[in-house]
Amino acid sequence: MREEQECGGEDMVYVTTFLYALLLVPLHISARLDIGERSTVQLKLRALFWTLRFDGVIERGKSGLFFSIRPRGKDGEEGSPIDVPARTLIRPILKNRRARAYIERHVRVDKLVAKARVGMEEAANTARVCGLLSCTLAPLSRLIQKKMRVTPHFGIAPDFSHSVFLMNAQCIIVVLPGDIMATVALGMLHSIRLSAQRAALRAHADVTRIPS
């Protein structure tokens, strides 16, 4: 009986060590975003010998923008679509200072490229808009290089013949699954704390409200 307990304890140690090692395996995430008449997004997740691909579109619904993505297997077979509201992914991180700091410390950006083609109805407006975008991208590029330790490549191409806005962005980031879980947990805790604060404020307002 004692020997069985010792064997069971050793197995738990091996399983725990294996799971902990998986959290430390670098995860390479490649993303491609195309914005135009139909905006699409492509994701590829790679860790060791495991690769998972997602193809999706960006659409606008009643609650705002959302991503409709489908996993794609090695044989090209698509899975069921997954609809994810953009604000569910982006807003908690943007509003949570700790989550942003955590991403800056633990997320490594290996590549960041963005190219846009811009055209207005009048050539003069096209030139002004492209000039304004170029002036804006210069300090943004320096900020990204300082914060993310990567040199981004931005390009603006004017189109004097058509009224158009097309953009293509590609990036490759490397993270640890454990860091992703911690970042998501920070975002969820921030959302829960905000909800609790709003509920407390509403309860306080109801208590202090003077009846008419």
Side-chain angles (χ1 to χ4, degrees):
M1 184 68 179
R2 184 176 180 181
E3 293 180 355
E4 292 180 356
Q5 291 179 349
E6 292 179 353
C7 292
E10 291 180 357
D11 292 340
M12 286 298 298
V13 171
Y14 292 145
V15 171
T16 303
T17 304
F18 176 73
L19 293 176
Y20 182 76
L22 288 180
L23 295 178
L24 299 179
V25 173
L27 177 63
H28 297 254
I29 304 176
S30 304
R32 176 188 174 98
L33 174 66
D34 293 287
I35 297 179
E37 295 182 359
R38 186 173 183 269
S39 300
T40 62
V41 60
Q42 296 178 351
L43 294 174
K44 183 171 72 172
L45 283 64
R46 180 172 58 84
L48 295 178
F49 306 104
W50 173 80
T51 301
L52 182 62
R53 291 179 174 84
F54 293 91
D55 294 333
V57 296
I58 303 175
E59 299 179 349
R60 180 176 293 277
K62 295 181 179 180
S63 59
L65 293 177
F66 67 93
F67 300 96
S68 180
I69 59 178
R70 291 176 178 268
R72 183 183 296 274
K74 292 183 178 180
D75 54 357
E77 183 179 354
E78 293 184 348
S80 301
I82 304 172
D83 294 338
V84 182
R87 63 182 181 181
T88 301
L89 297 176
I90 300 174
R91 183 177 297 178
I93 295 176
L94 293 179
K95 290 189 174 183
N96 191 331
R97 180 177 55 84
R98 291 183 179 179
R100 293 197 305 271
Y102 203 85
I103 291 175
E104 291 178 5
R105 290 196 304 267
H106 297 280
V107 174
R108 189 182 84 226
V109 182
D110 284 353
K111 176 183 178 182
L112 181 58
V113 179
K115 299 179 180 179
R117 183 159 64 93
V118 181
M120 310 293 288
E121 293 182 355
E122 297 183 4
N125 292 335
T126 299
R128 281 193 289 266
V129 171
C130 290
L132 179 62
L133 289 175
S134 298
C135 293
T136 303
L137 290 176
L140 178 61
S141 178
R142 291 192 294 268
L143 179 62
I144 292 176
Q145 188 171 5
K146 178 182 178 180
K147 292 290 186 178
M148 300 183 177
R149 299 177 295 278
V150 64
T151 302
H153 299 279
F154 297 139
I156 302 293
D159 189 331
F160 297 103
S161 303
H162 305 88
S163 178
V164 65
F165 178 79
L166 302 174
M167 189 182 76
N168 169 264
Q170 301 179 46
C171 72
I172 298 176
I173 63 176
V174 181
V175 297
L176 299 179
D179 292 335
I180 295 177
M181 295 174 63
T183 302
V184 172
L186 287 174
M188 293 177 63
L189 289 175
H190 181 72
S191 299
I192 293 172
R193 185 176 62 183
L194 288 179
S195 299
Q197 290 176 351
R198 294 192 190 101
L201 289 175
R202 286 195 297 266
H204 180 72
D206 292 339
V207 171
T208 58
R209 185 178 301 167
I210 300 176
S212 55

